[in-house]
Amino acid sequence: MTTSRIALVTGANQGLGRALVEGLAARMGPDDLVLLTGRNRQRVTDAAHEVAHAPSTRARVEAAVLDVTDTDAVARLADDLRARHGGVDVVVSNAVARVLPGDSQSARADEFIDVSNSATHAVLRSFGPLLRPGGRLLVVASSLGTLGHLDARLHGLFDEASLDQVEYAVESWRSAIHHGRATEQGWPLWLNVPSKVAQVAAVRAVAADRRERDLASGTLLAAVCPGMVDTATSRPWFEDYSHAQSPEQAAAAVLDLILAERVDPALYGELVRFGEALDWHSGTPPTEQDRLLTP
Ligand SMILES: NC(=O)c1ccc[n+]([C@@H]2O[C@H](COP(=O)([O-])OP(=O)(O)OC[C@H]3O[C@@H](n4cnc5c(N)ncnc54)[C@H](OP(=O)(O)O)[C@@H]3O)[C@@H](O)[C@H]2O)c1
């Protein structure tokens, strides 16, 4: 990485994203800049101010408004960073829309898909080319992001797919929800499963194209699973959250991956949980009980 590095985290005014910004700000240097981004100006300004003035903070911390559902805004921010800094060193696509247990999953589908999936595609497309040698581009997914969590009828949509094909699969899923055909086509009711599988598939698609070049320059593109984290989004889903990590605890393994000196080729393009790659084909479609236990 260069001596003056630029890091950016989406959905970073609270939860895991904020803990990632705090950790980057503490572990990067005074010449480095960490951009705390989120959709609401007041919330990102307040959070960036607090992190910037935390005793552990060493890097510069700035707020930037970025509603990730505005894909033009994602592209504009990338263009702006290219013009001002020539590139970017760390990008974490982390934002998620909060869906509560009482919400109708189908009624929330558009927002959920836009925040998790359309945004991931936009970040990969806009920031991938901007990543400097030695950089890190991570998409926060979850352990539900392996293919085996989907009905076997859907595997062909995501396995070894290009980014365009993943995007098509996501829009097919969205359309099936709108037309009341999702269940008959094998899509689970619970949005988080296809969404996380699609995020990992999108990372795998882009990684397949740039693997050799990235590994030669010590650059990492990967999806990450933070494990169970006690945040405002996950808490309503836990029957028992005594085993959940704090956002700071969950951020630690992700920060280790970001700040590692070298890239482990076994992790490149994979879904990484606590420093280990999860098998893409693993998992079984979740039951109702799983739905209650895993955010
Ligand atoms: N918590 C867990 O147990 C767990 C487990 C596995 C994976 N994950 C993943 O970890 C990531 C972070 O989750 P979390 O639990 O930390 O969630 P969280 O505390 O609810 O934080 C979500 C963040 O995303 C932001 N956001 C929502 N819509 C946005 C938009 N349109 N544009 C930009 N930002 C937006 C929220 O901003 P506002 O404050 O403005 O709403 C908030 O800052 C997600 O990808 C999630 O799927 C979490």
Side-chain angles (χ1 to χ4, degrees), residues 13-14 16 39 43 67-68 94 98 141 196 229 231 233 295:
N13 55 284
Q14 62 172 311
L16 178 67
R39 60 182 166 166
R43 288 199 284 275
D67 182 333
V68 294
N94 165 78
R98 182 166 306 156
K196 290 302 182 190
V229 197
T231 65
T233 289

Side-chain angles (χ1 to χ4, degrees), residues 10-17 37-40 43 66-69 93-98 111-112 115-116 140-143 192 196 199 224-234 238 295:
T10 71
N13 55 284
Q14 62 172 311
L16 178 67
T37 78
R39 60 182 166 166
N40 177 278
R43 288 199 284 275
L66 180 64
D67 182 333
V68 294
T69 63
S93 182
N94 165 78
V96 70
R98 182 166 306 156
E111 184 193 357
F112 197 84
V115 175
S116 290
V140 181
S142 90
S143 56
N192 208 20
K196 290 302 182 190
Q199 283 185 314
V224 289
C225 165
M228 281 172 76
V229 197
D230 187 1
T231 65
T233 289
S234 64
F238 292 143

Side-chain angles (χ1 to χ4, degrees), residues 11 26 57 63 70 84 116 145 153 174 176 190 218 222 238 246 278:
T57 290
D70 182 348
R84 283 198 295 146
S116 290
R153 284 175 286 169
R174 188 200 296 264
W190 193 33
F238 292 143
S246 68
L278 298 182

